């Protein structure tokens, strides 16, 4: 016969693990690298776009502030009325000193920045007011206003191109005119119209320093590797901010860079950022190296871990095989089936060899243990009933002394019913209906003792009455309420019996003093303190006849009350 190849279990465990490990590490590494690079680019784009949005908001805030100045002048109807008067002499002086000059001074006080405010008027009856200091930029030190006749600029190219058209609708445009470019300024130009008669009465020019308007355009806000530029609608660069070693014109090198754009709607300009692609390449290289290093370390650690685990399980299995071969008549009851010629096959042979003797041993031990526990539990129950009988007989004696015949008659009847149901002809099992009657008899006996201080409510599902249960499981719970939960006033008890799937659930709920978690644990602990032995008695009996999934559960909170839940199997 051909001899089968005997491959040790450790090799069978390690080889597939190593293959799967390499595939998993390579796959995860490639995915992590791709995802990290894409995430890096996306995060960088989002961060820079967010910074551009902040810069845009800053510029918009400042341009809106300048536009509010022009709006105030444009919609000043008193000023429009005054500028429509072409009277000479006193009227001209009054318009100048009481209307025009105060309006312009108020506007200058409205803004904190140094601005220049100039009005070019059609009305030549109003005298001009201007400064002649053309050597330096006046906005470096002060803010001021000037008044000119429109005739001065009618022949200027910028006026004919940008201001003269009648369809401008009062909207302003940003341009560098006259000495703005030399002084580093920029002006908001806007027609001044007579809104009532729909005709022009002049031109408003609000001048501000370029650095005040665009001081937030700083390449260092998005990193020392990028460039920022503000361009107008024609693509002309208004302002540029870039490192000293960057190209003079970032637009010419945008093919090698990532370009992000934020429109400046109020001015019609564009805020553009240029980020070198080499930055992403360097970051991608760093991610690649880190991913490779992590994958190598992970593969090494996992390989060492796999070999260690394999060696560990191999040694454990060999010990199990040796133990089973040496003690095949021990306390084991499982069966296993395994085809092959490795260590697991030997385990299967050892288990199957012990099968017949284990069944007999388990049966003998189980029956003996069952009989022993039943004897112990019956002994405990025998200790409880005489104590209850003694107290009840004492109550009967007191009622006889006081001549309370009706209560005496009721007490004797309920006591008889109680013991008739308790004895149950010596049987251990009874019906759920009789168990509830037994509990009601006990409650009736205690009701004579406590009177109106004992309030009992029943919530019984009629469908559970015909099922079978271990006897004497409800009365000890009610007795515990009266012994330990009652605090001297009125005590309320609710008895619930319902069917839940293949289980019957009893609940004994009270509004007594409750218990803390430590007391609950001691009551349910098999080897706990000598408290709650009646509850442990019930729990042990239920588990003995039903299984470990049944028994008693206690939920309690100090000062609120206690709920004792008893679960038994549905058996007819």
């Amino acid at each position: 016969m051909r001899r089968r190849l005997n491959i040790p279990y450790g090799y069978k465990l390690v080889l597939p693990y190593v293959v799967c490990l390499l595939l998993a590490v390579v796959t995860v590494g490639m995915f992590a690298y791709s995802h990290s690079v894409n995430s890096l680019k996306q995060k960088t784009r989002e961060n820079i776009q967010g910074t551009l949005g902040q810069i845009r908001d800053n510029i918009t805030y400042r341009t809106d502030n300048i536009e509010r100045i022009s709006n105030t002048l444009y919609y000043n109807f008193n000023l429009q009325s005054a500028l429509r008067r072409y009277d000479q002499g006193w009227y001209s002086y009054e318009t100048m000193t009481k209307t025009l000059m105060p309006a312009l001074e108020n506007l200058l006080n409205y803004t904190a920045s140094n601005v220049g405010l100039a009005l070019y008027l059609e009305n030549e009856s109003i005298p001009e007011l201007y400064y002649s200091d053309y050597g330096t930029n006046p906005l470096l030190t002060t803010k001021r206003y000037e008044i000119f006749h429109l005739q001065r600029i009618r022949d200027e190219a910028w006026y004919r191109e940008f201001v003269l058209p009648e369809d401008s609708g009062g909207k302003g445009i940003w341009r560098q005119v006259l000495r703005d470019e030399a002084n580093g300024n920029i002006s908001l130009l806007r027609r001044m119209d007579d809104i009532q008669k729909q005709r022009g009465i002049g031109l408003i020019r609000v001048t501000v320093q370029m650095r005040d308007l665009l001081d937030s355009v700083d390449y260092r806000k998005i990193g020392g590797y990028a460039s920022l530029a503000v361009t107008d609608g024609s693509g002309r660069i208004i302002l540029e901010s870039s490192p000293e070693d960057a190209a003079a014109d970032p637009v010419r090198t945008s093919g090698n860079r990532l370009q992000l754009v934020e429109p400046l709607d109020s001015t019609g300009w564009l805020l553009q950022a240029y980020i070198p692609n080499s930055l992403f390449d360097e970051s991608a290289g760093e991610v690649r190296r880190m991913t490779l290093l992590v994958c190598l370390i992970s593969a090494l650690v996992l390989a060492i871990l796999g070999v260690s685990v394999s060696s560990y399980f191999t040694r454990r299995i060999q010990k199990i095989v040796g133990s089973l071969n040496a003690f095949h008549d021990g306390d084991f009851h499982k069966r296993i089936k395994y085809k092959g010629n490795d260590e697991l096959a030997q385990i299967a042979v050892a288990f199957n060899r012990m099968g017949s003797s284990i069944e007999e041993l388990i049966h003998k031990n189980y029956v003996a243990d069952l009989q022993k526990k039943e004897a112990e539990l019956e002994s405990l129950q025998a200790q409880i009933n005489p104590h209850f009988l003694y107290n009840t007989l004492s109550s009967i004696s007191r009622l006889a002394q006081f001549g309370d015949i009706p209560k005496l008659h009721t007490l004797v009847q309920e006591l008889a019913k109680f013991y008739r149901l308790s004895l149950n002809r010596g049987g251990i099992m009874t019906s759920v209906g009789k168990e509830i009657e037994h509990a009601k008899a006990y409650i009736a006996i205690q009701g004579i003792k406590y009177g109106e201080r004992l309030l009992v409510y029943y919530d019984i599902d009629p469908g559970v009455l015909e099922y079978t249960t271990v006897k004497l499981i409800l009365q000890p719970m009610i007795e515990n309420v009266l012994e330990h939960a009652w605090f001297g006033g009125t005590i309320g008890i609710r008895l619930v019996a319902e069917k839940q799937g293949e289980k019957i659930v009893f609940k004994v709920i009270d509004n007594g003093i409750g218990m803390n978690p430590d007391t609950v644990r001691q009551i349910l602990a098999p080897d706990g303190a000598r408290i709650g032995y009646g509850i442990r008695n019930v729990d042990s009996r239920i588990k003995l006849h039903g299984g470990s999934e049944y028994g008693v559960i206690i939920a309690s909170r100090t000062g609120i009350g206690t709920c004792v839940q008893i679960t038994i199997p549905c058996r007819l």
Side-chain angles (χ1 to χ4, degrees):
M1 294 180 62
R2 297 181 58 184
R3 186 175 182 180
R4 293 183 179 181
L5 181 62
N6 185 11
I7 300 177
Y9 180 76
Y11 291 162
K12 290 182 179 180
L13 185 65
V14 169
L15 291 178
Y17 172 83
V18 171
V19 174
C20 294
L21 169 66
L22 293 177
L23 290 176
V25 169
V26 171
T27 302
V28 172
M30 293 177 62
F31 174 81
Y33 170 74
S34 176
H35 181 72
S36 299
V37 171
N38 292 335
S39 298
L40 178 63
K41 291 184 178 180
Q42 183 65 24
K43 189 65 175 179
T44 303
R45 179 189 291 270
E46 291 175 355
N47 290 340
I48 296 176
Q49 197 76 49
T51 304
L52 290 181
Q54 294 176 357
I55 296 175
R56 175 205 60 203
D57 293 340
N58 184 279
I59 296 174
T60 301
Y61 172 80
R62 300 193 178 203
T63 56
D64 289 345
N65 189 39
I66 301 301
E67 289 179 359
R68 279 192 291 270
I69 296 176
S70 68
N71 287 337
T72 303
L73 280 177
Y74 187 85
Y75 294 105
N76 191 331
F77 299 107
N78 292 331
L79 181 61
Q80 291 181 15
S81 299
L83 294 178
R84 287 199 303 268
R85 298 174 60 181
Y86 282 76
D87 301 326
Q88 299 289 340
W90 169 254
Y91 296 101
S92 174
Y93 174 78
E94 184 181 42
T95 300
M96 185 74 171
T97 58
K98 294 186 178 182
T99 303
L100 186 56
M101 292 176 64
L104 297 179
E105 289 176 355
N106 288 336
L107 287 177
L108 291 180
N109 294 330
Y110 177 79
T111 178
S113 303
N114 290 340
V115 298
L117 182 59
L119 288 183
Y120 295 86
L121 305 176
E122 292 275 5
N123 189 350
E124 295 185 358
S125 65
I126 297 176
E128 292 183 322
L129 178 64
Y130 57 90
Y131 297 85
S132 60
D133 51 344
Y134 292 103
T136 59
N137 183 6
L139 299 184
L140 293 176
T141 57
T142 185
K143 45 187 174 183
R144 65 188 189 180
Y145 64 87
E146 297 176 299
I147 303 173
F148 299 96
H149 293 156
L150 190 62
Q151 188 63 31
R152 284 178 173 270
I153 59 172
R154 286 189 185 278
D155 297 329
E156 295 286 343
W158 60 267
Y159 175 76
R160 293 196 308 271
E161 180 180 2
F162 300 115
V163 181
L164 192 57
E166 295 290 338
D167 59 351
S168 63
K171 295 181 180 180
I173 57 175
W174 289 88
R175 291 291 184 272
Q176 288 182 313
V177 299
L178 300 176
R179 296 182 56 83
D180 282 348
E181 187 172 358
N183 291 335
N185 298 339
I186 192 167
S187 298
L188 174 64
L189 306 174
R190 184 173 187 174
R191 285 174 55 90
M192 191 172 185
D193 296 326
D194 185 347
I195 298 178
Q196 295 181 354
K197 297 184 178 181
Q198 297 295 319
R199 63 185 180 85
I201 59 176
L203 172 69
I204 302 172
R205 177 188 171 197
V206 185
T207 305
V208 64
Q209 295 181 73
M210 186 75 76
R211 69 179 186 180
D212 288 342
L213 195 65
L214 303 176
D215 66 338
S216 60
V217 181
D218 187 350
Y219 74 94
R220 289 170 293 186
K221 292 184 178 181
I222 59 175
Y225 46 82
S227 299
L228 286 176
V230 178
T231 60
D232 59 15
S234 62
R236 184 175 65 90
I237 296 178
I238 297 175
L239 180 68
E240 177 192 352
S241 176
S242 60
E244 294 180 357
D245 57 349
D249 186 4
V251 178
R252 291 197 296 267
T253 59
S254 60
N256 296 325
R257 300 188 179 193
L258 171 66
Q259 180 179 359
L260 301 177
V261 179
E262 279 286 346
L264 303 175
D265 297 331
S266 59
T267 61
W269 300 339
L270 293 178
L271 176 62
Q272 303 182 46
Y274 303 92
I275 300 92
N277 288 331
S278 58
L279 172 69
F280 299 106
D281 295 337
E282 295 175 0
S283 300
E286 182 67 20
V287 171
R288 187 186 304 112
R289 290 189 292 272
M290 289 299 298
T291 302
L292 181 60
L293 179 61
V294 170
C295 288
L296 290 176
I297 294 176
S298 299
L300 181 60
V301 171
L302 292 175
I304 295 174
L305 181 61
V307 172
S308 301
V309 171
S310 173
S311 178
Y312 171 80
F313 278 108
T314 300
R315 291 195 302 268
R316 303 298 267 180
I317 291 174
Q318 289 174 349
K319 289 181 180 179
I320 292 174
V321 172
S323 299
L324 290 175
N325 288 330
F327 305 101
H328 63 276
D329 292 327
D331 189 15
F332 296 98
H333 60 277
K334 292 192 297 184
R335 299 284 201 280
I336 60 173
K337 294 182 180 179
Y338 190 87
K339 295 181 180 180
N341 195 28
D342 55 11
E343 292 85 354
L344 292 180
Q346 299 178 41
I347 294 176
V349 172
F351 268 98
N352 295 333
R353 199 164 54 236
M354 292 185 294
S356 58
S357 58
I358 289 176
E359 288 184 358
E360 184 179 356
L361 180 62
I362 289 178
H363 179 72
K364 291 180 179 179
N365 290 341
Y366 178 80
V367 171
D369 187 56
L370 180 63
Q371 294 174 347
K372 179 181 178 182
K373 289 187 175 181
E374 281 293 343
E376 293 175 354
L377 295 175
E378 289 296 333
S379 175
L380 288 174
Q381 188 62 41
Q383 295 174 16
I384 297 173
N385 287 337
H387 177 71
F388 168 70
L389 178 60
Y390 171 78
N391 291 335
T392 306
L393 292 176
S394 296
S395 298
I396 292 173
S397 175
R398 286 195 299 271
L399 290 175
Q401 290 176 354
F402 289 109
D404 195 343
I405 303 303
K407 288 186 179 181
L408 178 62
H409 179 69
T410 301
L411 183 59
V412 172
Q413 282 187 330
E414 295 299 333
L415 180 62
K417 182 191 294 186
F418 176 82
Y419 273 98
R420 174 173 54 82
L421 295 172
S422 296
L423 295 174
N424 193 31
R425 298 181 180 179
I428 299 174
M429 309 299 291
T430 186
S431 67
V432 173
K434 289 183 178 180
E435 180 64 18
I436 293 175
E437 287 184 17
H438 180 262
K440 288 182 177 180
Y442 178 79
I443 292 172
I445 294 170
Q446 296 298 337
I448 295 174
K449 175 182 177 181
Y450 290 96
E452 295 181 353
R453 293 176 298 170
L454 176 61
L455 303 176
V456 183
Y457 307 92
Y458 299 97
D459 187 2
I460 309 299
D461 181 5
V464 305
L465 299 180
E466 298 301 322
Y467 288 96
T468 301
T469 179
V470 181
K471 70 176 183 179
L472 299 179
I473 61 174
L474 295 178
Q475 180 268 334
M477 307 305 169
I478 300 171
E479 182 178 359
N480 276 339
V481 174
L482 299 177
E483 290 290 335
H484 304 291
W486 185 50
F487 50 86
T490 301
I491 185 73
I493 301 175
R494 181 184 175 199
L495 179 60
V496 180
E498 59 185 358
K499 186 172 181 287
Q500 296 181 3
E502 297 300 320
K503 298 179 180 180
I504 296 175
V505 177
F506 299 99
K507 294 180 182 177
V508 179
I509 307 169
D510 68 77
N511 61 350
I513 61 176
M515 297 178 287
N516 58 51
D518 289 337
T519 303
V520 173
R521 283 193 294 269
Q522 292 178 15
I523 290 175
L524 296 179
D527 299 325
R530 293 190 58 81
I531 58 174
Y533 60 87
I535 297 177
R536 286 201 298 272
N537 180 6
V538 172
D539 184 61
S540 299
R541 294 167 61 207
I542 293 174
K543 285 182 167 56
L544 187 63
H545 290 276
S548 59
E549 66 270 26
Y550 303 101
V552 179
I553 299 175
I554 300 177
S556 181
R557 291 187 65 181
T558 304
I560 296 178
T562 303
C563 174
V564 179
Q565 177 175 303
I566 305 170
T567 306
I568 64 173
C570 290
R571 293 175 181 171
L572 294 174

